[in-house]
Amino acid sequence: MISAVASRLAQTLLLIFGVSVLAFLFMDLAPGKYLAEMRLNPQISQRTLAALRTEYGLDRPLAVRYALWLRSVARGEFGFSFAYNSPVAPLLFVRARNTLLLTITATLIAWGIALPLGVWSAERFGRLPDRLLSWATAALLVIPDLALALGLLVFAVRTGRFPVGGMTSLDFASLPPADKLRDLALHMTLPVAALVLSALPLLIRHVRAAVAEVLNAPFMLAARGHGIPRRTLLYRYALRAAANPLISLFGFSIGALLSGSLLVEVVMSWPGLGPLLLESILSRDVYIVIGGTLFSTIFLVSGNFVADILLYWADPRIRTKSGST
């Protein structure tokens, strides 16, 4: 078990290192630099531009800049933001917290809806209710995330029932605790709904397929013959037997919702990593883009790691194999 964890940790560190190298290389190859627009300003002299290049380390070779950036990562800074004149880490931590709040909430809600709907559809496999649900998920699957988010924004503007944009209201600091929670929940409703609706079709289809395959297994037929109640049969035996692929899908869904949340955050003005990365890409703020890419990679790897832990807990065969090695 310890050797397996150590091996997985080594693979994770190697993956993060590779992503950082590629992000650094691609950002250097991308057209345009942070000081490019300043060159067009006649009020800024070439001497000032040269001094800024030296201050930001842009006059050094790529390998040297990467080594200096690694040293800043070891100090917990993740580089220096040109636009914000600040270390990158504090900027990313605040935005990453908001993105995680959105993503984790959407993940739990999406799975909370997909599991019972998928089990219900699998029990009625091939019948009219199952076909209707399949048609509904297929229709929802072809709608782009951008169109879904814009449609929810139009709905909010026309009805006036939900706030549009931001994470809290202007008077949030003066509200009582219960009203603060309500205000935050109202602001989260639209972006969470967009993420849930984009993830539901895939999750429902996988739950339906996994449970439907288990329902025809011999042990399920024997359990049904012993008169075990329907709810126990479905949720205690069938769902548990189909858990392994669904747990793996759970880790993947965290990464998928994270990538989708970046777009939703931009459209709905949620103060997460998405708007910060977009602003940094447009302004060529290199180290924020690299740091945001690394944070996204860490979130994705963490989701897969959580799925591995759940698989180890749910499947005794994995524990037996790990113990024997």
Side-chain angles (χ1 to χ4, degrees):
M1 176 61 184
I2 297 178
S3 61
V5 172
S7 175
R8 182 61 183 270
L9 182 59
Q11 293 174 4
T12 300
L13 293 177
L14 183 61
L15 172 64
I16 294 175
F17 174 75
V19 169
S20 69
V21 171
L22 291 176
F24 224 93
L25 179 62
F26 290 153
M27 287 301 298
D28 188 70
L29 294 175
K33 303 299 178 185
Y34 178 73
L35 301 177
E37 295 184 2
M38 293 185 181
R39 293 193 182 97
L40 304 177
N41 190 342
Q43 297 179 350
I44 301 178
S45 65
Q46 293 299 319
R47 182 177 298 178
T48 301
L49 289 174
L52 288 173
R53 286 179 57 84
T54 302
E55 179 183 354
Y56 294 146
L58 299 177
D59 58 341
R60 301 185 180 186
L62 179 63
V64 175
R65 281 185 278 139
Y66 182 73
L68 292 175
W69 178 78
L70 285 179
R71 189 169 67 180
S72 75
V73 170
R75 293 196 302 263
E77 296 176 353
F78 282 84
F80 193 83
S81 169
F82 307 148
Y84 290 90
N85 195 29
S86 164
V88 169
L91 301 173
L92 289 177
F93 286 149
V94 174
R95 299 299 188 100
R97 179 193 62 191
N98 299 339
T99 296
L100 282 178
L101 175 64
L102 203 64
T103 303
I104 293 175
T105 303
T107 300
L108 296 178
I109 293 177
W111 276 95
I113 297 174
L115 284 176
L117 275 181
V119 172
W120 178 84
S121 180
E123 188 185 15
R124 295 157 179 80
F125 190 83
R127 290 186 278 177
L128 180 60
D130 173 53
R131 291 200 297 269
L132 290 175
L133 183 60
S134 297
W135 293 338
T137 56
L140 196 58
L141 193 61
V142 300
I143 301 177
D145 293 347
L146 179 60
L148 196 59
L150 291 175
L152 289 173
L153 278 180
V154 171
F155 169 78
V157 170
R158 290 189 174 181
T159 59
R161 295 184 177 181
F162 299 100
V164 178
M167 184 175 175
T168 57
S169 301
L170 295 177
D171 59 344
F172 181 80
S174 61
L175 295 176
D179 291 340
K180 283 184 178 181
L181 185 61
R182 179 177 179 275
D183 182 72
L184 178 61
L186 285 175
H187 281 82
M188 288 180 60
T189 299
L190 291 182
V192 167
L195 292 176
V196 169
L197 290 175
S198 65
L200 267 182
L202 182 65
L203 298 183
I204 290 176
R205 285 168 173 256
H206 276 81
V207 173
R208 170 182 175 269
V211 175
E213 183 178 359
V214 170
L215 286 178
N216 295 322
F219 80 92
M220 289 298 297
L221 298 177
R224 190 179 293 113
H226 282 79
I228 297 176
R230 167 187 164 276
R231 186 178 183 86
T232 303
L233 191 69
L234 290 174
Y235 289 96
R236 183 174 179 180
Y237 295 101
L239 191 58
R240 185 171 182 178
N244 280 18
L246 298 182
I247 291 175
S248 300
L249 179 64
F250 177 77
F252 172 78
S253 68
I254 295 177
L257 280 175
L258 176 65
S259 61
S261 70
L262 300 182
L263 173 63
V264 171
E265 287 172 358
V266 172
V267 174
M268 297 189 171
S269 300
W270 180 266
L273 286 175
L276 180 64
L277 286 178
L278 179 61
E279 295 170 4
S280 302
I281 291 171
L282 295 177
S283 64
R284 308 298 191 274
D285 201 349
V286 178
Y287 296 112
I288 286 186
V289 178
I290 296 173
T293 304
L294 278 186
F295 270 53
S296 301
T297 304
I298 292 171
F299 293 160
L300 177 60
V301 171
S302 299
N304 290 327
F305 184 70
V306 169
D308 289 344
I309 293 176
L310 292 176
L311 276 174
Y312 182 82
W313 171 76
D315 194 338
R317 294 171 298 180
I318 299 178
R319 296 196 296 272
T320 302
K321 183 177 179 180
S322 299
S324 61
T325 56

